[in-house]
């Protein structure tokens, strides 16, 4: 039994009041990269009023923590799948037996990828456990997603045959984060949009883990799966990098603010690592489906938008275009940040096959987080 299951099984089911019918289509609006998804006045009018108490989180703070706990449980679920096949299985991150061929393909991006995957997995497991434990310590309901573990596992050697929250086998990976952090005159908080580093990944559905042992060959097909994982790692962790500072702007209680300001930077550390490793993905075309990974250092790519060793956040516009540019996390617009994050994960294909109840539950958590107001 893994850490998430062990800890999560001790939690009560989440808030039973979260029961409205929300269409899956509503998730597929605006991605996290443009920071949209602003709530309407009607929702804000009907949202619970956050009342500050001495030394206690407000209702808005609790709503933010519950959404973040759900997000971390989702992250832990997907990272565990990566670790079972391409990471290190040990007492910290148990489960699975590894897949040597996939592990070797991922190691083309960096020889220490298995260790990085393991450590990222461990971090997300501990984030989820901490957030839920903190909620319980304040007499508030934790988040339990076990009822939504309905998706099948990879059938490749090394993967546990258990039910999952997430689907890593039909991804449409948004790689615009690559260009977003490299331009000095654009910021998604201003409504700017960004091109794709790997256009093919955003134009279809592709596995980031082998679906079965048939995916272990031919070699270029398996390497394309590993390359997809490398860019997906960056996509996932840039989302957390933006989500924590975006929601921190709505927090009232100093201790809850400290939690967000302490967990959020670890997501940025993850993102910086994966930004660097994705640049090592070898150029190739998958012979089974035509997915192409171009040489990002050669024409028509190259330059500041694509050069693979330019991984530090390029200074860019912030708050007002009249201010000097500076190096920042982006986006950090707080309006609709939780719903925008959920939209982005859904558009990624991460929840293909999930139930309507899953979408309803997470949408309500996101809406309540976005309705939180600093007191």
């Amino acid at each position: 039994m893994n850490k998430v299951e062990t800890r999560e099984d001790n939690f009560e089911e989440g808030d039973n009041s979260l029961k409205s019918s929300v269409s899956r289509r509503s998730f597929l609006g605006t991605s996290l990269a443009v920071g949209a998804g602003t709530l309407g006045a009607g929702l804000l009018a009907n949202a619970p009023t956050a009342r500050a108490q001495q030394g206690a989180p407000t209702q808005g703070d609790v709503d933010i923590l519950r959404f973040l706990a759900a997000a971390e449980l989702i992250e832990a679920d997907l990272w565990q799948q990566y670790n079972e096949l391409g990471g290190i299985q040990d007492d910290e991150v148990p489960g699975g037996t590894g897949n040597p061929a996939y592990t070797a393909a991922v190691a083309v991006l960096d020889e220490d990828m298995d260790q990085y995957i393991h450590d990222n997995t461990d971090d997300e497991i501990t984030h989820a456990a901490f957030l839920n434990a903190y909620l319980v310590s304040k007499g508030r309901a934790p988040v339990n997603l076990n009822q939504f573990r309905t998706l099948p596992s990879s059938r490749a050697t090394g993967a546990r045959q258990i039910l999952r929250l997430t689907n890593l086998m039909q991804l449409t990976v948004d790689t615009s984060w690559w260009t977003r952090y490299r331009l000095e005159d654009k910021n998604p908080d201003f409504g700017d949009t960004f091109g794709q580093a790997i256009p093919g990944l955003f134009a279809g559905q592709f596995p980031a883990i082998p679906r079965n042992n048939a995916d272990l060959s031919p070699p270029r097909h398996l390497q394309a799966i590993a390359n997809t994982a490398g860019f997906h790692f960056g996509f996932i962790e840039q989302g957390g990098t933006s989500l924590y500072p975006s929601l921190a702007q709505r927090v009232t209680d100093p201790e809850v603010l400290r939690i967000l300001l302490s967990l959020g930077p670890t997501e940025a550390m993850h993102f910086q690592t994966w930004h660097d490793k994705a640049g090592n993905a070898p150029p190739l075309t998958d012979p089974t489906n035509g997915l192409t990974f171009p040489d990002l250092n050669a024409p028509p790519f190259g330059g500041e938008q694509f050069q693979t060793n330019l991984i530090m956040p390029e200074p860019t516009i912030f708050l007002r275009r009249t201010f000097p540019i500076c190096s920042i996390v982006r986006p950090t617009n707080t309006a609709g940040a939780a719903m925008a994050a959920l939209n982005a994960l859904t558009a990624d294909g991460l929840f293909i096959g999930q139930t309507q109840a899953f979408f309803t539950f997470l949408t309500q958590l996101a809406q309540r987080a976005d309705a939180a107001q600093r007191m």
Side-chain angles (χ1 to χ4, degrees), residues 77-345:
D77 180 85
L78 70 89
W79 277 109
Q80 282 191 298
Q81 294 179 68
Y82 282 127
N83 193 70
E84 288 175 19
L85 292 169
I88 296 172
Q89 305 81 39
D90 59 13
D91 290 341
E92 280 190 332
V93 186
T97 57
N99 185 291
Y102 179 68
T103 301
V106 171
V108 171
L109 280 65
D110 188 285
E111 63 182 6
D112 292 320
M113 287 288 276
D114 57 350
Q115 186 67 60
Y116 301 148
I117 290 170
H118 169 280
D119 291 351
N120 205 143
T121 307
D122 189 40
D123 290 353
E124 308 305 354
I125 291 171
T126 62
H127 285 175
F130 177 87
L131 290 167
N132 267 335
Y134 184 81
L135 285 163
V136 171
S137 78
K138 299 299 180 180
R140 300 303 188 111
V143 177
N144 187 327
L145 300 181
N146 281 348
Q147 65 175 310
F148 304 121
R149 296 185 186 277
T150 61
L151 302 181
S153 295
S154 163
R155 303 293 296 183
T157 299
R160 288 184 298 165
Q161 295 310 300
I162 61 174
L163 296 177
R164 314 283 186 170
L165 295 173
T166 58
N167 181 348
L168 297 179
M169 296 177 278
Q170 294 174 267
L171 296 179
T172 301
V173 183
D174 184 348
T175 59
S176 64
W177 56 265
W178 183 278
T179 54
R180 187 195 328 146
Y181 273 92
R182 293 157 178 269
L183 295 175
E184 67 177 23
D185 60 348
K186 289 187 175 184
N187 182 331
D189 287 335
F190 289 82
D192 296 324
T193 57
F194 302 84
Q196 299 290 326
I198 313 295
L201 272 179
F202 198 55
Q205 294 182 350
F206 304 97
I209 56 175
R211 294 162 292 190
N212 49 51
N213 287 340
D215 273 336
L216 302 180
S217 62
R220 292 173 75 83
H221 172 60
L222 180 59
Q223 190 61 56
I225 293 175
N227 287 5
T228 298
F231 279 92
H232 192 239
F233 297 166
F235 165 77
I236 291 296
E237 297 305 315
Q238 62 81 31
T241 298
S242 284
L243 183 61
Y244 275 88
S246 297
L247 291 181
Q249 297 167 61
R250 296 181 172 274
V251 167
T252 298
D253 182 68
E255 189 169 70
V256 176
L257 181 61
R258 181 182 178 187
I259 291 171
L260 269 67
L261 296 182
S262 298
L263 270 63
T266 68
E267 303 286 344
M269 294 177 192
H270 300 158
F271 173 50
Q272 185 80 354
T273 298
W274 300 127
H275 191 171
D276 181 37
K277 305 315 171 190
N280 297 331
L284 59 82
T285 296
D286 187 330
T288 71
N289 56 30
L291 174 62
T292 296
F293 289 85
D295 182 347
L296 294 177
N297 293 309
F301 297 94
E304 283 199 353
Q305 284 196 58
F306 297 102
Q307 187 176 321
T308 55
N309 64 353
L310 298 179
I311 65 169
M312 303 295 178
E314 185 72 13
T316 193
I317 53 176
F318 183 47
L319 297 182
R320 299 190 185 95
R321 292 185 184 273
T322 55
F323 286 154
I325 60 173
C326 65
S327 181
I328 56 167
V329 168
R330 61 264 209 179
T332 55
N333 186 359
T334 188
M339 198 65 219
L342 208 44
N343 286 341
L345 294 177

Side-chain angles (χ1 to χ4, degrees), residues 4 24-25 35 39 45 65 109 117 142 162 215 229 240 268 275 312 336 350 373:
V4 168
R24 179 180 183 277
R25 187 175 302 170
L39 294 174
L65 290 172
L109 280 65
I117 290 170
I162 61 174
D215 273 336
H275 191 171
M312 303 295 178
L350 203 60
Q373 299 181 55

